Amino acid sequence: MSGPADPRLILHEDELDAGIELMLLAEASLWAAVDQGLEAEGLGLGRSHWRATFLLRRRPGIGVQELAHLTSLSKQATSRILVDLEGKGLVEKQAGDLDGRRRTAALTERGAAFEAAIGERLRNVLSRAYRTGGLDGVAGARAILAAMAGGRTRRPMPGGGRP
């Protein structure tokens, strides 16, 4: 259990607004890198498609419902994205291990290559930013982002496998 909040962390509205502005600008930078990668891949897919492939790499075997929760998309929209990815040969669906009605999705070899090509662009952006922030900045940034992500986070194993 954590102790009381440090009184120095009481931020004023203008300080919080400056943080929101920086997050919006950082998000725009990340999505610009994704957009460039999507254009280079030439498959006619959008940001949600890449985001789904990224999450499938990090959390293999998740189903539509969990993917919808993680992305804040409807189950119908998430299902459509998976159908698009399956149609391009990037994802394959399988019946769930415990419940045959629960369909899980996994990246194909081509899907993993698609995700890696675009993900590399984002890792480059993030690694430059982390180097700017220094060792203490990396831990602080991760703590802040994890708190903002709320219940969507979990501790993935290195390489994207499940614990």
Side-chain angles (χ1 to χ4, degrees):
M1 195 147 147
S2 63
D6 185 331
R8 296 173 293 174
L9 294 178
I10 305 303
L11 300 174
H12 298 283
E13 186 175 328
D14 60 327
E15 294 167 311
L16 293 169
D17 285 349
I20 292 168
E21 181 181 4
L22 286 172
M23 282 188 221
L24 292 173
L25 296 173
E27 178 189 31
S29 176
L30 290 173
W31 285 125
V34 169
D35 291 343
Q36 291 168 357
L38 289 167
E39 189 174 321
E41 290 296 311
L43 295 174
L45 298 174
R47 294 173 177 180
S48 293
H49 295 96
W50 176 79
R51 190 168 51 162
T53 63
F54 177 81
L55 290 168
L56 288 170
R57 180 180 64 82
R58 297 284 293 166
R59 301 171 186 223
I62 62 174
V64 172
Q65 187 169 343
E66 186 177 0
L67 190 57
H69 169 72
L70 293 171
T71 59
S72 293
L73 296 172
S74 69
K75 284 189 266 185
Q76 183 180 9
T78 303
S79 185
R80 263 194 317 270
I81 288 165
L82 290 174
V83 165
D84 292 346
L85 292 170
E86 190 175 30
K88 302 278 185 185
L90 304 176
V91 164
E92 56 190 12
K93 293 183 196 167
Q94 305 153 340
D97 293 341
L98 301 175
D99 182 352
R101 296 170 297 175
R102 184 181 175 270
R103 306 276 295 170
T104 61
L107 293 178
T108 63
E109 193 173 311
R110 184 173 179 209
F114 166 80
E115 188 286 320
I118 297 171
E120 184 63 27
R121 292 170 181 267
L122 274 84
R123 285 187 286 281
N124 288 335
V125 170
L126 193 56
S127 68
R128 282 192 304 273
Y130 275 168
R131 281 193 296 276
T132 300
L135 291 176
D136 292 335
V138 172
R142 285 183 179 165
I144 290 166
L145 293 172
M148 291 179 69
R152 289 180 171 88
T153 62
R154 66 155 177 75
R155 294 192 184 273
M157 291 175 54
R162 285 191 160 239

